[in-house]
Amino acid sequence: MKKKVKRMLGTANEIRVYHVSGNIEKQINHWLAANPTAAIIDIKFGCNADEALIIYKPGQ
C-alpha cells in the first residue's frame, strides 16, 4: 500500500491570513493587486458569502 506524502506549505511563522468582509470580490482583487508577490495557498469563503480568509505566504 502506498503512503500519501503531504507537501509542506511552510512553517507557521511563514504563513499569514488576511480577513476581508463586505464587498469581498472587490476587496480580494484589491488585496491581490497590492500584494503581487504573495504566494496564495487558499481562499476560504464564509457561509454567509460576505467574509473570506486569504491564506498566503508573503512574497520576497
Side-chain angles (χ1 to χ4, degrees):
M1 176 181 254
K2 268 189 166 180
K3 273 188 168 182
K4 279 192 174 184
V5 177
K6 290 187 177 185
R7 192 178 82 189
M8 288 277 297
L9 297 173
T11 60
N13 67 341
E14 295 175 331
I15 297 174
R16 306 281 187 266
V17 177
Y18 183 77
H19 176 257
V20 295
S21 62
N23 184 347
I24 60 172
E25 183 177 356
K26 181 179 178 181
Q27 292 210 22
I28 290 172
N29 288 334
H30 180 267
W31 187 90
L32 292 172
N35 298 280
T37 60
I40 306 303
I41 296 170
D42 200 1
I43 299 177
K44 298 287 187 183
F45 296 91
C47 357
N48 54 4
D50 68 348
E51 287 187 311
L53 295 175
I54 302 171
I55 305 166
Y56 69 99
K57 285 175 54 173
Q60 300 301 330

